Amino acid sequence: MHFDIQLRFQPSPAFIGILAEMNEQFADWTDGSYDWANQTEDFLSPPTPLPKFDEAILQTPLSKRAVNDTLQIAIALLSGNYPVVRDYLKETRFAFVIGYPRSGGSYLTKELLRTVGLDHTRVSEALAHDGFPDLRETWYDWNGDRPYYHLQEAIFQVAEFLVLANLYYQRNTDRRSDGFWLAPKKMHKIVFWASSFKMLLGQGRADYLVTLRHPVPACISIYEKCGGLPADGRFPVSAPRSAIERWIINDLMHLGYTAQQLSVMSYFEVVLVGWAQFHLRMATSGLFLGDRKEIRLVPYGKDCLEQVVTDYRGRFANANFAPEPVLIHTKSIEHPDWRARGDEAVETVRHAWSMLGLPFPELTGD
């Protein structure tokens, strides 16, 4: 029995933008002006619109190779031919930074990029940060005018990312003494596909750095990043101000909350629910499949985050320099009632992890 399946590959905006930048035809994402890991300022950065690219961008030798490789990897993913993917990535080792928003992941990703000799402001956020590839198990149709074929879309974006990361780091960084190129990537959405990623890459082919922060200071950092706590203290469901707020809404809608219910909930309550859901999902996602030594739990704090950076730099002969100091903000003390609620959420998650045989570290309110 034979079936013919028609697939249409529509390159994602991130793929086109990164590819154009690698072809030195688009520098707006990597001109050094956008510090996506700035520790001293919380700001919303409007996305830089992509220019109108003509077909010529896809005709360079690099682009032809990237498109061809992406199609080959996408077909291997769709057919479950993992050996093809593993062979393609045989000289690349990923360092995935995974964590709830505002838990130290941007700092850690930036410092890992510096470790491999890159200025993070000249590495596109699309390649280094967690918006791309867009992994999820449910796609909401916000506009109401078209369906989302989320599985096919996500698989193609995974293929795009794997190919671009493989090409980018081999072109722009040095191979380590162990024979691998290290590819850092902030990837909190991996919790939707964790077991698939671990089966795809195989044992010993990636590090999984899990950043963990108390939900109350994380919440404060989220709303400060988005422009401040709304005047009414509610979560801005009808007009989310950032990708983070939209992502939190999606997570709670997945739990069965309606937009009307979310609109009357306080900002802190929404984030606490989302924080607990994220960490409970992580425990059962398959992230801990196989050798747990690949996973490093990193509680938010100056010593823990900086030690990870120091450990990585110890493996690079030319990266023996101190990490940027982590700046700790203790604003959660201004919200004692919510801090107590946050402690309850932490204990709930810790108990659930313990029941599954997983450790969950102590988290301070910083």
Side-chain angles (χ1 to χ4, degrees):
M1 187 176 294
H2 177 74
F3 294 95
D4 288 322
I5 300 176
Q6 298 294 323
L7 295 176
R8 181 173 180 267
F9 172 48
Q10 178 68 43
S12 70
F15 179 81
I16 294 294
I18 297 168
L19 195 58
E21 185 270 324
M22 292 174 67
N23 278 286
E24 299 181 350
Q25 296 187 30
F26 176 58
D28 287 31
W29 282 356
T30 56
D31 63 0
S33 62
Y34 177 36
D35 184 354
W36 45 261
N38 191 308
Q39 290 195 75
T40 60
E41 297 181 32
D42 283 309
F43 57 91
L44 279 176
S45 175
T48 301
L50 286 170
K52 299 276 186 191
F53 291 115
D54 58 34
E55 290 295 321
I57 188 62
L58 300 177
Q59 301 306 313
T60 70
L62 173 63
S63 295
K64 288 181 178 180
R65 177 182 175 184
V67 170
N68 181 69
D69 288 358
T70 296
L71 292 174
Q72 296 298 320
I73 296 301
I75 291 171
L77 291 173
L78 287 166
S79 63
N81 194 355
Y82 287 0
V84 169
V85 181
R86 292 176 184 175
D87 182 66
Y88 181 78
L89 299 171
K90 62 180 179 294
E91 296 177 321
T92 297
R93 182 180 179 86
F94 291 95
F96 292 122
V97 179
I98 307 159
Y100 197 72
R102 313 303 291 165
S103 64
S106 293
Y107 166 85
L108 204 51
T109 305
K110 173 197 68 177
E111 289 298 304
L112 291 176
L113 288 170
R114 294 180 67 210
T115 299
V116 298
L118 295 173
D119 175 355
H120 71 285
T121 65
R122 298 189 177 278
V123 179
S124 73
E125 189 180 24
L127 181 63
H129 231 246
D130 40 23
F132 168 73
D134 195 359
L135 303 177
R136 61 181 95 178
E137 58 190 16
T138 305
W139 289 52
Y140 292 100
D141 182 2
W142 288 84
N143 299 319
D145 60 357
R146 64 190 178 100
Y148 284 105
Y149 299 102
H150 60 275
L151 182 59
Q152 179 178 315
E153 171 75 10
I155 285 176
F156 272 114
Q157 285 201 24
V158 168
E160 289 176 341
F161 162 69
L162 293 176
V163 168
L164 290 175
N166 195 54
L167 295 176
Y168 183 90
Y169 286 101
Q170 290 191 22
R171 285 165 55 91
N172 294 291
T173 66
D174 295 328
R175 190 199 298 250
R176 300 193 311 183
S177 59
D178 62 5
F180 290 97
W181 276 274
L182 182 68
K185 173 67 173 175
K186 189 167 183 280
M187 191 85 153
H188 76 257
K189 292 181 181 179
I190 202 173
V191 298
F192 295 107
W193 280 33
S195 57
S196 295
F197 251 94
K198 298 203 81 174
M199 291 291 291
L200 169 66
L201 297 178
Q203 292 293 304
R205 302 300 296 275
D207 299 327
Y208 303 87
L209 305 169
V210 179
T211 60
L212 299 155
R213 190 181 189 183
H214 191 284
V216 173
C219 176
I220 295 170
S221 186
I222 289 171
Y223 69 61
E224 289 183 341
K225 181 77 171 179
C226 298
L229 184 66
D232 61 0
R234 310 290 187 187
F235 202 86
V237 178
S238 61
R241 300 169 294 177
S242 69
I244 294 176
E245 288 184 341
R246 186 172 290 107
W247 178 72
I248 292 171
I249 293 169
N250 284 351
D251 268 7
L252 267 69
M253 291 180 71
H254 183 79
L255 290 174
Y257 287 86
T258 65
Q260 183 177 8
Q261 289 173 318
L262 294 174
S263 68
V264 297
M265 294 171 65
S266 77
Y267 203 103
F268 280 97
E269 185 177 5
V270 170
V271 172
L272 257 62
V273 173
W275 182 94
Q277 188 248 22
F278 176 82
H279 292 92
L280 293 175
R281 179 193 296 272
M282 181 189 293
T284 59
S285 66
L287 183 65
F288 295 91
L289 174 69
D291 187 358
R292 291 186 182 177
K293 293 179 181 179
E294 294 181 325
I295 300 170
R296 182 168 180 174
L297 302 182
V298 188
Y300 186 87
K302 178 179 175 64
D303 292 342
C304 291
L305 287 166
E306 291 180 10
Q307 188 60 52
V308 173
V309 180
T310 300
D311 291 347
Y312 270 87
R313 290 188 182 160
R315 308 172 196 172
F316 288 80
N318 60 345
N320 187 21
F321 55 96
E324 178 183 309
V326 174
L327 302 180
I328 302 296
H329 306 281
T330 56
K331 298 178 182 179
S332 63
I333 197 171
E334 302 170 8
H335 303 274
D337 293 342
W338 284 111
R339 181 158 174 168
R341 288 279 302 277
D343 289 341
E344 293 175 6
V346 171
E347 286 306 310
T348 297
V349 170
R350 179 181 291 111
H351 179 70
W353 278 45
S354 177
M355 292 292 292
L356 298 174
L358 300 174
F360 195 87
E362 294 289 333
L363 300 180
T364 69
D366 294 332

